[in-house]
Amino acid sequence: MRHSPLPFPLHHRRRLARALAAIALLSGAACNSGPNEDGGGAGVSASLNDLMKERGLDESNVSAALKTYTPTGVHDPYIMFASGGQSGQVLVIGIPSMRILKYIAVFTPEPWQGYGYGDETNTILAAGQRDGRTLSWGDSHHPALSETNGDYDGQFLFINDKANARIAVIDLKDFATKQIVMSGLIQSDHGGTFVTPNTEYVVEGAQYPAPLGGGYAPIERYAEDYKGAVIFWKFDREKGRIDRAKSFAMELPPYMQDLTDAGKLVSDGWVFLNSLNTELSIGGTLEGRPPLESGASQNDMDYMHIIPWRRAAEVAGMAGKTKEIAGMRVIPLDVSLSEGLLYFVGEPKSPHGVDVTPDGSQMVVAGKLDTHGTVYSFAKIKAQIDQKKFEAKDRYGVPILSFKDSIDGQVELGLGPLHTQYIGDGMALTSLFLESAVVRWSVKDLKVIDKIPVHYNVGHIAAAEGDTVSPDGKYLVAMNKWAIDRFQPVGPLLPQNFQLVDVSGSQMQLLYDMPLPLGEPHYAQIIKADKLHPEDIYKPAGVNPVTAQHDPDTVTAGKERIERRADGVHVFMSAVRSHFTPDIIRVKEGDTVHLHITNVEQAHDATHGFTIDLYNVHQSLEPGKHVNASFVADVPGVFPMYCTEFCSALHLEMAGYLLVEPKEGGAPAPGVAPAPGDAPAPGDAPAPGDAPAPGDAPTPDAPAPGSE
Ligand code: K7E
Ligand code: CUA
């Protein structure tokens, strides 16, 4: 645990209690006897008392404040990674201060980080294209931290884009996205991302069935031609990238696969997927059929999918057991059935979460339309599979286990239970969407302990390390879908509301409301901050963060230059407080410009930004970072370029010009061509044939002054 020189919430509960007692005592004393000559103490107490009165705070408010207030310079003991929903990003938030530390750009271009405005990050985003189309947003749902032996190891983070069925890899060395993969197999995903206990695979389950690999099939052929799937993306930890060639998928029936969880410890080697719509409802509100939502809610039971992934990986590696769809190895359903790779067990109506207990022995499922939490026993499930004791088969031939023989019991939790997290000692927390509450209960004893109201309509919840083999308890964040009256109104689109709850005491206590005005986050994970070891700077200078290599086009001080090559004009530029070298770039209309910029500084936080007017180039240059950005200089004119970070006192002067000379005989650039006979004003683009002004970059081809 981190040692802090300052009193830390919850880690010093006794000290906190003493502080509160002191406040109460001193406040009382101040009221009775007025200001006390004893100076300090009484003065503080009186003013605290006044403050409480003035702000209308009671003691529980003050205790909440003391548990979350984090003095300047003090770091949070926990870090939450929350999906940014429709923003396509990931949020990094300190717990318990609830201070936002970073938005990690993932599926969406993000200008500040230069993500999607330079060659390498454009390539990352382009890897997520479908059918050659650029997708500039994502519906990020479920972040998953990499794990070692079922515990977060702080190295990598994965997240899915539900809308476009993509998965991203984020390296926690620099909290930046390194890779986006898109299978082309499925149209949407929801059961992702979840990792196996040693991050062997990143699991992506489909959601809305469709023909595998894309393409058309009439919806009347839903039962036959529409398919579900689950993809096991092989993660190469050494390279820090998903290895597409070693990844595989399994075809599943067209039930809407929902959330997923990987078994751990005793259930290691297995994954569990919820599903809904065993009715195979297809909607058709204008075609005389019930809407999807009611059609899909007819049966009392849907199916939990039970898959031995280790065995599936073996089968995927055998000759003749897979077929290739969209370039992906897919185990067809009939192979899964003959190889024993897929089993079902009933789960109550519209299940929405399957959450494996820390010891891996049980799975908790909550049905949105059922008031119970259902606790499944892995041992009981495994015994039936081992004995091939099946109650029935579904219409596709998948063996169905007995529900009754698979569960340890059910607990009435409340209205609309969704997601479960663990807090140790056999205790769990489950969100209650309809009831707008979180219930604390004992999985061991199948008993409800208490509930806390949240505001409002909670979706996922995240407890500190709450889905690992060793949950910490302490903090819970309720990720509420509706804010309604919680914040100052800002028009009809309201922020989401994250509520921080202290779950360490005998009563849960609401500590803090945090508005989130970015998108609807779904899942989040909370990791101990001391497991994260991000780098302060890129070192040595010249690292390309996307490749994690020293970039071949790195620029060192003194080697700056401009070279004209067959593929365009290459600008090798350094950035240092407070200038770019070169600071004048001369090109001809139509030239392709390749910028290679290195921030040669190694000072902590000495970040520069780089932009050129009109050309939609923006880069963030953290210390030591190298970036490449290309564009076609197709508009003649004078384009200031400057550093977009206030990096130094002379930051405004950290600027220069891109001069795009009109083509011979081409139209002069609007507004910049000197009138015939006019002498060029200083700083103007020189007319063709003019001698370069001293200090100007040379015309392309000639070596730059100062370069060797
Ligand atoms: Cu419940 Cu997409 Cu995980 Cu939202 S999902 S709440
Ligand atoms: Cu560099 Cu401003």
Side-chain angles (χ1 to χ4, degrees):
M1 194 38 58
R2 177 186 297 276
H3 286 275
S4 158
L6 290 155
F8 227 85
L10 298 175
H11 305 145
H12 300 278
R13 300 186 53 75
R14 256 185 261 126
R15 201 187 297 184
L16 173 67
R18 261 186 269 127
L20 282 171
I23 290 167
L25 199 81
L26 290 167
S27 307
C31 288
N32 291 341
S33 51
N36 173 327
E37 300 144 19
D38 194 47
V44 166
S45 81
S47 66
L48 270 180
N49 204 29
D50 289 349
L51 254 179
M52 285 172 69
K53 268 203 206 120
E54 191 186 315
R55 300 202 65 217
L57 304 178
D58 63 21
E59 239 179 78
S60 79
N61 299 146
V62 174
S63 121
L66 289 180
K67 287 176 180 187
T68 54
Y69 175 69
T70 305
T72 182
V74 175
H75 298 178
D76 285 294
Y78 288 94
I79 298 295
M80 176 161 72
F81 292 93
S83 84
Q86 296 91 333
S87 76
Q89 302 173 342
V90 168
L91 298 127
V92 185
I93 298 166
I95 304 269
S97 73
M98 304 304 272
R99 297 179 296 194
I100 298 176
L101 303 172
K102 185 165 186 178
Y103 299 133
I104 303 174
V106 185
F107 297 110
T108 312
E110 201 282 329
W112 181 47
Q113 295 161 43
Y115 185 81
Y117 302 90
D119 295 354
E120 282 80 14
T121 54
N122 288 353
T123 304
I124 294 176
L125 285 166
Q129 285 181 347
R130 290 181 71 108
D131 301 326
R133 275 160 208 277
T134 299
L135 301 165
S136 58
W137 82 290
D139 189 9
S140 63
H141 269 238
H142 304 113
L145 286 154
S146 58
E147 294 181 11
T148 299
N149 299 326
D151 237 330
Y152 303 149
D153 55 38
Q155 292 183 5
F156 295 95
L157 182 75
F158 310 93
I159 192 155
N160 69 313
D161 162 17
K162 166 170 166 161
N164 304 299
R166 299 180 293 172
I167 301 287
V169 180
I170 296 160
D171 193 332
L172 295 178
K173 271 204 213 91
D174 60 354
F175 287 52
T177 301
K178 304 296 171 175
Q179 185 184 25
I180 293 175
V181 291
M182 197 273 301
S183 67
L185 194 66
I186 53 179
Q187 301 298 116
S188 57
D189 69 27
H190 197 229
T193 52
F194 296 88
V195 297
T196 53
N198 282 298
T199 322
E200 297 95 336
Y201 288 96
V202 182
V203 184
E204 179 190 20
Q207 178 123 78
Y208 305 116
L212 289 186
Y216 176 78
I219 196 144
E220 290 71 20
R221 301 264 318 154
Y222 185 91
E224 299 80 21
D225 295 344
Y226 288 45
K227 314 276 183 193
V230 58
I231 301 171
F232 295 86
W233 292 102
K234 179 75 192 148
F235 185 60
D236 183 336
R237 200 189 279 263
E238 276 299 293
K239 293 207 178 93
R241 300 290 185 276
I242 282 171
D243 185 339
R244 195 188 173 95
K246 293 195 177 132
S247 305
F248 70 97
M250 289 171 65
E251 177 197 327
L252 297 174
Y255 309 132
M256 291 176 182
Q257 283 79 33
D258 196 48
L259 288 165
T260 308
D261 204 1
K264 52 187 101 159
L265 301 174
V266 294
S267 55
D268 186 12
W270 295 74
V271 296
F272 310 97
L273 276 80
N274 287 122
S275 70
L276 44 119
N277 197 20
T278 39
E279 298 84 351
L280 302 184
S281 169
I282 57 171
T285 42
L286 282 187
E287 301 176 12
R289 288 187 298 272
L292 189 54
E293 124 236 354
S294 59
S297 309
Q298 297 307 306
N299 298 350
D300 284 336
M301 288 282 181
D302 289 294
Y303 296 132
M304 184 202 292
H305 297 35
I306 303 160
I307 296 172
W309 64 260
R310 248 187 252 283
R311 174 78 191 130
E314 282 167 23
V315 171
M318 295 175 189
K321 298 286 186 192
T322 56
K323 59 182 179 197
E324 196 172 303
I325 306 176
M328 188 118 235
R329 281 185 300 158
V330 181
I331 304 176
L333 186 56
D334 58 333
V335 175
S336 289
L337 298 182
S338 62
E339 296 286 344
L341 303 182
L342 180 63
Y343 304 93
F344 286 163
V345 61
E347 41 185 13
K349 251 183 150 87
S350 294
H352 188 45
V354 53
D355 296 291
V356 177
T357 54
D359 64 3
S361 71
Q362 293 166 308
M363 292 85 74
V364 172
V365 169
K368 302 188 295 274
L369 301 181
D370 184 85
T371 54
H372 294 92
T374 303
V375 182
Y376 292 78
S377 154
F378 178 70
K380 291 179 182 175
I381 286 175
K382 185 73 180 1
Q384 293 173 75
I385 293 173
D386 289 346
Q387 296 158 26
K388 299 199 182 339
K389 193 168 149 250
F390 308 126
E391 215 171 53
K393 286 186 175 178
D394 86 326
R395 62 188 289 169
Y396 298 96
V398 183
I400 304 172
L401 313 183
S402 149
F403 173 72
K404 193 168 83 314
D405 293 346
S406 299
I407 66 169
D408 281 337
Q410 290 188 292
V411 195
E412 176 110 24
L413 294 177
L415 300 179
L418 300 186
H419 298 293
T420 296
Q421 291 269 291
Y422 300 97
I423 48 176
D425 297 332
M427 303 276 278
L429 299 161
T430 299
S431 54
L432 303 171
F433 178 83
L434 296 174
E435 206 172 313
S436 287
V438 174
V439 57
R440 183 162 59 170
W441 58 291
S442 164
V443 182
K444 223 170 29 193
D445 309 329
L446 299 173
K447 266 216 312 267
V448 166
I449 313 292
D450 60 346
K451 275 184 195 180
I452 186 168
V454 291
H455 313 88
Y456 303 87
N457 295 87
V458 56
H460 275 278
I461 50 178
E465 309 222 335
D467 60 4
T468 69
V469 293
S470 59
D472 280 22
K474 295 184 184 147
Y475 297 113
L476 167 80
V477 174
M479 305 163 79
N480 304 302
K481 308 293 187 185
W482 291 47
I484 310 181
D485 57 359
R486 291 295 98 173
F487 306 110
Q488 179 71 21
V490 289
L493 182 61
L494 303 190
Q496 305 284 305
N497 187 14
F498 277 11
Q499 287 184 306
L500 179 69
V501 178
D502 175 359
V503 294
S504 62
S506 58
Q507 273 192 322
M508 293 189 277
Q509 183 191 4
L510 180 62
L511 299 181
Y512 195 83
D513 277 32
M514 175 200 201
L516 245 233
L518 186 76
E520 183 201 322
H522 292 261
Y523 192 37
Q525 289 183 328
I526 301 174
I527 183 176
K528 283 190 195 81
D530 60 12
K531 286 185 180 174
L532 297 164
H533 305 286
E535 284 165 357
D536 289 343
I537 57 170
Y538 292 105
K539 62 177 179 251
V543 172
N544 182 324
V546 177
T547 60
Q549 309 282 319
H550 199 73
D551 194 276
D553 290 321
T554 286
V555 186
T556 48
K559 307 266 187 177
E560 299 91 347
R561 65 205 182 273
I562 298 174
E563 287 175 10
R564 179 172 286 274
R565 296 181 188 166
D567 65 344
V569 178
H570 288 255
V571 180
F572 296 88
M573 180 185 279
S574 68
V576 67
R577 274 164 290 170
S578 304
H579 54 271
F580 296 107
T581 307
D583 55 1
I584 292 184
I585 304 170
R586 293 164 188 275
V587 299
K588 295 241 167 29
E589 178 186 353
D591 278 341
T592 299
V593 181
H594 303 275
L595 298 168
H596 311 288
I597 315 175
T598 305
N599 179 353
V600 297
E601 299 207 46
Q602 295 275 275
H604 198 188
D605 206 9
T607 297
H608 302 285
F610 177 87
T611 187
I612 301 179
D613 288 17
L614 183 79
Y615 283 106
N616 205 39
V617 169
H618 186 255
Q619 288 300 321
S620 173
L621 291 153
E622 296 98 277
K625 184 171 170 183
H626 178 87
V627 297
N628 301 298
S630 304
F631 63 95
V632 178
D634 51 1
V635 180
V638 172
F639 305 99
M641 52 192 202
Y642 68 94
C643 169
T644 59
E645 290 275 343
F646 209 124
C647 56
S648 71
L650 293 178
H651 142 76
L652 297 181
E653 291 82 349
M654 190 165 176
Y657 284 97
L658 167 73
L659 304 172
V660 183
E661 204 180 305
K663 271 194 197 123
E664 296 288 319
V672 296
D678 273 7
D684 267 4
D690 272 359
D696 268 4
T699 49
D701 300 330
S707 78
E708 46 253 86

